[in-house]
Amino acid sequence: MLDILQYAVKNTALILAALLPIINPPGGAPIFLLLTRGASADTRRYLARQVAWNASLLLLAAMFIGSYVLEYFGISAATVKVAGGMLVASIGWKMLQTDDAHHDDASSHIEWTRPVAESRAFYPHTFPLTVGPGSIAVALTLGASVYQGGKRPIAAPLGALLAVLIVAIIIYLCYGFADRIVGLLGKTGTTVMLRLTAFVLLCIGIEIFWGGASDLLEPLFQHHR
């Protein structure tokens, strides 16, 4: 039993070390706050709970059945990166164009009720802003080790469940209290943080796209050598 727990903790630490830098909930807090402008604190925390729940389900699905789903539809991980990278880059570009002096973005015209928050919980707040193609690709890779438990077949899935639970809690805390986190920066600091985060999001999208495109084009270049 002790051996199983030790292996589960080790697996949990490995998954957290791989996923948290990519998901980066603290970095996503300013984006979440911008996209929920006009929402009450209660509605924002309700949405944060929904996003945390959706993110955990998406990560677990990618780890346990993601590779089989992609194989069934004949979709490669590189294609997921290309499509997802374009989507992330487009959101980052749109955020860079947002005029903070005029609240003209779409979120400012939304009447934030719980049904509205629930309808927007998956897209765009869960995917691709929280769990994007990069996170899914990492989860797919980590999932390959979930079934390689050897004499400890329960330990690997248990570690995955614990890691995803911790990630979900961190997402909820960062998003649910995004107003307090961003409030520490002040108005000017928040504007700077939002612009930098949007630019980083644009760069991440392009990086993901290029990584997928390179994987798709590599066999072509090798063929002509």
Side-chain angles (χ1 to χ4, degrees), residues 147-180:
Y147 299 102
Q148 296 175 359
K151 296 181 180 179
R152 297 159 291 190
I154 300 176
L158 178 61
L161 289 171
L162 289 174
V164 170
L165 176 61
I166 294 172
V167 169
I169 292 173
I170 294 174
I171 290 172
Y172 169 72
L173 292 176
C174 290
Y175 285 11
F177 299 93
D179 52 342
R180 299 184 185 181

Side-chain angles (χ1 to χ4, degrees), residues 8-205:
V9 170
K10 181 180 178 181
N11 199 49
T12 299
L14 173 65
I15 295 174
L16 285 175
L19 286 178
L20 278 179
I22 298 177
I23 297 176
N24 189 18
I31 301 175
F32 181 82
L33 189 62
L34 175 65
L35 294 179
T36 55
R37 179 181 292 162
S40 66
D42 288 341
T43 301
R44 190 177 293 115
R45 282 169 195 146
Y46 171 77
L47 180 57
R49 286 196 298 270
Q50 296 296 112
V51 172
W53 173 252
N54 290 339
S56 62
L57 292 180
L58 194 55
L59 289 171
L60 288 174
M63 286 185 190
F64 288 98
I65 63 172
S67 59
Y68 298 104
V69 173
L70 293 181
E71 184 178 355
Y72 178 80
F73 288 103
I75 302 173
S76 66
T79 304
V80 173
K81 289 182 181 179
V82 169
M86 293 172 63
L87 188 59
V88 171
S90 68
I91 292 175
W93 176 254
K94 179 184 281 188
M95 289 178 58
L96 279 173
Q97 306 308 307
T98 300
D99 185 1
D100 292 328
H102 304 87
H103 297 247
D104 293 335
D105 57 294
S107 62
S108 63
H109 302 292
I110 296 174
E111 185 178 351
W112 283 98
T113 60
R114 286 203 171 190
V116 171
E118 188 173 357
S119 69
R120 297 173 63 87
F122 185 78
Y123 179 85
H125 293 95
T126 301
F127 180 86
L129 291 178
T130 303
V131 179
S135 307
I136 291 176
V138 171
L140 286 170
T141 304
L142 292 170
S145 66
V146 169
Y147 299 102
Q148 296 175 359
K151 296 181 180 179
R152 297 159 291 190
I154 300 176
L158 178 61
L161 289 171
L162 289 174
V164 170
L165 176 61
I166 294 172
V167 169
I169 292 173
I170 294 174
I171 290 172
Y172 169 72
L173 292 176
C174 290
Y175 285 11
F177 299 93
D179 52 342
R180 299 184 185 181
I181 295 174
V182 175
L184 296 174
L185 300 173
K187 185 175 181 180
T188 302
T190 299
T191 301
V192 172
M193 176 64 72
L194 287 172
R195 296 298 185 187
L196 288 176
T197 304
F199 180 71
V200 169
L201 194 66
L202 175 63
C203 293
I204 289 174

